[in-house]
Structure formats: structure tokens, C-alpha cells
């Protein structure tokens, strides 16, 4: 079974409800605006504007919706990052250029936000995207992250600097001007404030919350970033003969102390972001 996600504004969402008025089904969910079944495809339209389609022939239904609502696909560069919610491992930033032909490929492949995919899916799709798409990837390992953070750079500034560099690299690889879409992690004025001392700044950026649902280029960027993150986590784990845990839950606290006790502060610095609370509440720096 395949899935596809669209993000619509209030006007288009209202139009879509009218389109499916004869195919509505009753599902008790306070977050749903409406749900429907049409041609064997289940449609879930949320009040936020997110529309999820589910079924075997989902792309045909998506094409019909886009045609009726006059939604035109377009080439773009999308950017996203992973690793910021993980105590262990790097921060990985990726920007991806997707042509119209690439978008059709991504839809057929079932590309969606990496947060909604498990590691097995990421490892299966990641290499296919890497072989097909034009992209730039920056991996900031924990050692370098800790050095930069100690110089007074907070997490959002670090992300802004990485994104700026990645976007400049990707735009240099294509010979056309296209929209650049960034998954918004801070207000635009703050983002550009972080870049005030940079010699080169890319400023023509569209900021969107949940941008991976806004354009598939962002979803592709999130998958490639996640794929690189998993590879780096494996590499770092081999240093201490341990599978590093993702996230920042209580089991991560236990692993921090295990690494600290067995290998010392120097090794912990190589695998963990030392300013995260999971570390600072347990280890004296």
C-alpha cells in the first residue's frame, strides 16, 4: 500500500472537501476536517492543511487532485537537517535539487519525511536518491560540533551556518535559478542574523514549517541526511564497540555514563554533543 501527502491552504482544502462530498466517510478524529474513499483510495484531510492519501493506485488520485485544484509541480532546492534531537552522533545538513522528472521519480518511490520512515526504509531509499539527485551534504561530527559550540555558537546558529554553506554549494551545481525551500527551525530574521558575519550568504529562501510536506525536495533532503547520519552513527559506534542509541531518552543517559566510565571524557567528546542536558546533568566538564 502506498501513501502520499499534500499540503493545501484553507481555500484549496475547502475545494477538496466539495470534490469528495459524495464520497465522505465518518471517522471520529478531532484533527480531521474530513475523510473519504474514492476509487479505492482513502483520503484523510486534516485541519492543518495536511492531506494524506492511502491506497495502491494513489498517484493517479494525486494527479487528479492536482489537476482539479490547478496545482503545478515545479523544480526546487529543498534543505533539511537531522541529528539535532540526538545526543550521540553528528548533525547532518542536506540540500537537494529536484527537477520535474525527479519529482515524478520521488513520487513513484514513495518519498516522504524521514521522521515517518524506519531505518530499514532509509537504508533502502537513501542510495537510490544519492545516485539520482544533485545534492550537497555536510556532516558535522560531535568533536567539531563541540568545538564550535564552545566558541559561543548555539544550535540554531550552527544549523544556519551549515544550511547556508550547503545551499550555496547546491545552487552552484545547477545552471538555473529555482526556489530554495528550507524547513523552518527559527524565524527568518534570526536565521539571517546568524549569518551576518558570513562573506557569502544565500538569501532567496522560502521558509516553511513542515516543509517536507510542502515540497518533495525537502523530504528527499531529510532522507539523504538521515542516511548519512545512520552511517556516521555506525562508524562512531565501532570506535567503542557499542551501538549508539538515537534520541535523548533515559536509556541514552545510561549509555552516556557507560561510555564515560569505560572510555573517559575524551572518547565521550568524540561521540556525544557535550552541551546537551543528558550529558551536562551527569558529567562534570
Amino acid at each position: 500500500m502506498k501513501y502520499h501527502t499534500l499540503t493545501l491552504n484553507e481555500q484549496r482544502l475547502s475545494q477538496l472537501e466539495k470534490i469528495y462530498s459524495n464520497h465522505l466517510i465518518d471517522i471520529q478524529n478531532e484533527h480531521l476536517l474530513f475523510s473519504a474513499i474514492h476509487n479505492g483510495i482513502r483520503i484523510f484531510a486534516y485541519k492543518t492543511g495536511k492531506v494524506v492519501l492511502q491506497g495502491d493506485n494513489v498517484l493517479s488520485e494525486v494527479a487528479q487532485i492536482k489537476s482539479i485544484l490547478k496545482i503545478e509541480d515545479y523544480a526546487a532546492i529543498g534543505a533539511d537537517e537531522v541529528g539535532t534531537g540526538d545526543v550521540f552522533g553528528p548533525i547532518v545538513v542536506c540540500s537537494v535539487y529536484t527537477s520535474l522528472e525527479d519529482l515524478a521519480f520521488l513520487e513513484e518511490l514513495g518519498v516522504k519525511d524521514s521522521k515517518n520512515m524506519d531505518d530499514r526504509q532509509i537504508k533502502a531509499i537513501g542510495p537510490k536518491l544519492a545516485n539520482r539527485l544533485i545534492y550537497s551534504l555536510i556532516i558535522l561530527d560531535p568533536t567539531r560540533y563541540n568545538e564550535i559550540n564552545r566558541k559561543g555558537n548555539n544550535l540554531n546558529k550552527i544549523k544556519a551556518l551549515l544550511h547556508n554553506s550547503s545551499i550555496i554549494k547546491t545552487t552552484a551545481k545547477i545552471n538555473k535559478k529555482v526556489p530554495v525551500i528550507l524547513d523552518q527551525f527559527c524565524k527568518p530574521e534570526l536565521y539571517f542574523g546568524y549569518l551576518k558575519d558570513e562573506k557569502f550568504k544565500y538569501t532567496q529562501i522560502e521558509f516553511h514549517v513542515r516543509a517536507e510536506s510542502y515540497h518533495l525536495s525537502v523530504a528527499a533532503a531529510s532522507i539523504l541526511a538521515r542516511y548519512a547520519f545512520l552511517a556516521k552513527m555506525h562508524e562512531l559506534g565501532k570506535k567503542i564497540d557499542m551501538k549508539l542509541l538515537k534520541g535523548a531518552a533515559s536509556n541514552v543517559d545510561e549509555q552516556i555514563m557507560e561510555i564515560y566510565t569505560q572510555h573517559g571524557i575524551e572518547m565521550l567528546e568524540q561521540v556525544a554533543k557535550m552541551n546537551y542536558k543528558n550529558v551536562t546533568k551527569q558529567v562534570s566538564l
Side-chain angles (χ1 to χ4, degrees):
M1 185 164 297
K2 296 181 179 180
Y3 296 82
H4 191 89
T5 302
L6 296 168
T7 300
L8 304 178
N9 59 29
E10 189 175 344
Q11 181 183 359
R12 280 178 166 161
L13 202 60
S14 178
Q15 284 180 264
L16 194 65
E17 185 173 15
K18 291 177 182 177
I19 291 169
Y20 288 115
S21 59
N22 293 327
H23 306 277
L24 298 178
I25 57 174
D26 185 26
I27 294 182
Q28 298 302 314
N29 185 327
E30 61 178 334
H31 303 294
L32 276 174
L33 179 64
F34 72 88
S35 55
I37 297 179
H38 183 249
N39 292 332
I41 305 298
R42 299 177 71 88
I43 300 100
F44 303 93
Y46 294 87
K47 296 172 183 177
T48 58
K50 181 179 179 179
V51 180
V52 179
L53 293 92
Q54 172 187 341
D56 293 327
N57 194 27
V58 69
L59 293 183
S60 176
E61 194 74 15
V62 170
Q64 289 185 53
I65 291 174
K66 287 182 177 180
S67 176
I68 294 171
L69 297 182
K70 295 180 171 56
I71 298 173
E72 294 186 9
D73 288 329
Y74 58 93
I77 291 173
D80 202 359
E81 80 283 331
V82 302
T84 58
D86 301 275
V87 175
F88 295 117
I91 291 175
V92 184
V93 161
C94 186
S95 57
V96 175
Y97 167 70
T98 52
S99 65
L100 291 177
E101 293 77 15
D102 292 332
L103 290 175
F105 168 76
L106 296 180
E107 286 187 340
E108 187 62 37
L109 202 57
V111 164
K112 55 187 174 182
D113 180 21
S114 68
K115 291 188 287 293
N116 297 323
M117 302 172 68
D118 59 30
D119 289 355
R120 179 186 57 80
Q121 292 172 308
I122 294 291
K123 291 175 182 178
I125 291 181
K128 296 177 182 178
L129 301 186
N131 289 332
R132 165 84 183 224
L133 302 175
I134 295 172
Y135 66 96
S136 299
L137 193 71
I138 300 178
I139 302 173
L140 186 70
D141 65 37
T143 300
R144 184 63 180 141
Y145 168 85
N146 293 326
E147 291 173 0
I148 296 173
N149 174 254
R150 287 187 183 121
K151 291 179 180 178
N153 300 294
N154 66 26
L155 181 58
N156 278 349
K157 182 174 182 178
I158 292 172
K159 289 194 289 184
L161 293 169
L162 295 177
H163 274 299
N164 183 60
S165 178
S166 176
I167 289 168
I168 288 173
K169 289 179 180 180
T170 301
T171 55
K173 294 176 182 179
I174 60 175
N175 59 0
K176 61 181 74 175
K177 190 172 180 61
V178 298
V180 175
I181 303 165
L182 177 60
D183 190 44
Q184 182 171 318
F185 56 86
C186 66
K187 293 181 179 179
E189 55 267 29
L190 283 176
Y191 175 87
F192 292 116
Y194 292 135
L195 304 179
K196 62 183 176 63
D197 295 325
E198 293 300 292
K199 184 176 181 180
F200 300 104
K201 296 184 282 287
Y202 196 92
T203 59
Q204 302 302 307
I205 295 176
E206 297 178 17
F207 296 86
H208 294 281
V209 177
R210 296 186 296 274
E212 67 281 348
S213 298
Y214 187 85
H215 198 277
L216 279 178
S217 61
V218 183
S222 76
I223 292 172
L224 281 170
R226 195 66 169 171
Y227 182 61
F229 174 84
L230 293 174
K232 190 66 177 179
M233 283 283 276
H234 178 70
E235 177 187 319
L236 292 173
K238 287 174 66 176
K239 283 187 173 185
I240 52 176
D241 195 27
M242 190 180 297
K243 183 178 180 180
L244 292 171
L245 298 172
K246 296 188 287 292
S250 58
N251 58 342
V252 171
D253 293 347
E254 296 171 9
Q255 191 169 57
I256 288 168
M257 287 309 299
E258 184 178 358
I259 295 170
Y260 179 60
T261 302
Q262 294 182 14
H263 302 281
I265 192 73
E266 293 81 6
M267 182 56 71
L268 187 61
E269 292 239 7
Q270 294 181 41
V271 298
K273 304 176 186 76
M274 300 299 286
N275 69 316
Y276 279 36
K277 288 182 180 179
N278 301 69
V279 178
T280 59
K281 68 184 180 183
Q282 299 187 91
V283 179
S284 298
L285 303 179

